[in-house]
Amino acid sequence: MSRHPDPGPPILSVRGVSKEFDAHGRKHIAALSGISLDVWQGEFVTIVGSSGCGKTTLLRMIAGLIRPTAGTILMDGHEVDDPGPERGMVFQAYTPFHWLSVRRNVEFGLRLTRKAKGLPPAEIARRAEEWIAIVGLHEFADVYPKVLSGGMRQRVAIARALANDPEILLLDEPFGALDAQTRTAMQELLVKIWEDTHKTILFVTHDVDEAILLSSRILVMAPHPGRIVEEIAVSLPRPRTIDTLVTPEFLEFKRKILGLIREFSIAGRKCGP
């Protein structure tokens, strides 16, 4: 079953955001230019585009890890200028702390913000146990990440981010390094979490199939400089399964998105630096 976003004001607004970098002795290389987007409560929005179009840079700016050169990013109407607990981030690289058990990894963010939230130790333990169970790692709660598979490590990272109860979950190609079978299992897990918790998700991927299967809306980016060139509402019914991949409706979405990426990638190579 598909869920509709909250009809109220967006929880995340990006307005005219640009980013320039100094690189290879050349100043003011434009990575992003004039990015504007809105994300509403309960949406699953995915950003796709060719490598180097600035998807990760945009997500890191929304996370508050880097600052835009121009424009504003608003979370619940407040300008983003640094990381905050209302934005949970999951990276492509496996990020669990190797010296902490699965349980302690998931508790880490809660302990970090305990003073701000006033959470007693019992509540921290309860939340950690809840999310460890949700991501299917209950039997591995006291295991260290070094003995876990890649998919299991990403489960730890997702549980750690969600245990802090962020308003929006930001995911930067979190399944990019996984094998096909594990990737499918992680996609199914993420959709189940989204449907069960009504959490807002902003997801970055280069995999068009993945974007269509997961998303309620897709933003297509073009490179040189990075910018949003198309917004596509994914009207396919849920649940979406492997059989969805061969339906005419799915293939039409895929044809359109791949065509846009190819068109703007070729144009970018002709006029890029």
Side-chain angles (χ1 to χ4, degrees):
M1 179 179 296
S2 180
R3 288 197 295 104
H4 295 285
D6 189 316
I11 65 169
L12 172 69
S13 291
V14 177
R15 290 287 175 266
V17 162
S18 299
K19 181 63 180 177
E20 296 180 347
F21 290 105
D22 295 344
H24 306 298
R26 298 177 60 187
K27 294 186 177 181
H28 309 306
I29 301 299
L32 297 171
S33 178
I35 299 282
S36 292
L37 64 90
D38 291 312
V39 177
W40 279 266
Q41 175 66 42
E43 279 197 293
F44 196 129
V45 178
T46 298
I47 301 171
V48 299
S50 59
S51 296
C53 71
K55 302 184 299 293
T56 292
T57 298
L58 176 58
L59 202 69
R60 285 175 174 265
M61 286 195 292
I62 293 169
L65 298 173
I66 57 178
R67 294 190 176 185
T69 305
T72 57
I73 299 171
L74 303 174
M75 186 73 193
D76 290 326
H78 301 286
E79 188 167 355
V80 169
D81 54 14
D82 54 22
E86 74 282 357
R87 286 158 285 135
M89 183 83 179
V90 178
F91 301 89
Q92 178 177 358
Y94 307 138
T95 57
F97 303 122
H98 63 84
W99 62 91
L100 297 177
S101 66
V102 168
R103 187 191 315 278
R104 294 304 183 193
N105 262 283
V106 177
E107 290 178 349
F108 181 83
L110 293 168
R111 294 183 182 279
L112 196 66
T113 60
R114 177 183 171 188
K115 183 176 180 180
K117 291 193 173 184
L119 292 176
E123 176 62 11
I124 291 175
R126 186 198 68 78
R127 286 198 191 183
E129 288 294 329
E130 178 183 17
W131 279 104
I132 289 169
I134 287 172
V135 301
L137 291 177
H138 180 73
E139 295 182 3
F140 300 90
D142 296 309
V143 169
Y144 287 84
K146 66 180 181 180
V147 302
L148 300 178
S149 67
M152 294 168 78
R153 292 181 193 181
Q154 284 300 62
R155 288 172 186 250
V156 175
I158 290 170
R160 187 174 63 194
L162 287 170
N164 231 20
D165 194 26
E167 292 185 49
I168 187 169
L169 185 63
L170 309 172
L171 299 109
D172 184 15
E173 301 201 45
F175 311 142
L178 303 177
D179 63 81
Q181 184 174 351
T182 303
R183 185 172 192 145
T184 298
M186 292 299 295
Q187 291 167 350
E188 292 172 348
L189 172 67
L190 185 61
V191 169
K192 186 177 188 307
I193 290 172
W194 174 68
E195 291 177 337
D196 290 348
T197 66
H198 302 276
K199 193 66 64 180
T200 307
I201 294 178
L202 183 58
F203 190 94
V204 161
T205 184
H206 66 273
D207 187 315
V208 173
D209 285 2
E210 180 172 70
I212 300 170
L213 277 173
L214 297 180
S215 313
S216 49
R217 188 157 53 97
I218 296 173
L219 305 175
V220 182
M221 287 187 65
H224 309 306
R227 62 206 186 278
I228 294 172
V229 294
E230 190 82 20
E231 176 181 314
I232 298 171
V234 183
S235 55
L236 296 174
R238 296 182 187 272
R240 299 172 191 164
T241 67
I242 190 169
D243 293 330
T244 307
L245 294 169
V246 294
T247 62
E249 295 82 5
F250 182 96
L251 294 174
E252 178 58 25
F253 277 113
K254 184 173 181 178
R255 183 199 63 77
K256 180 176 181 179
I257 294 168
L258 287 175
L260 286 165
I261 292 172
R262 182 176 184 276
E263 173 188 348
F264 285 97
S265 294
I266 291 173
R269 285 196 293 269
K270 288 180 179 178
C271 64

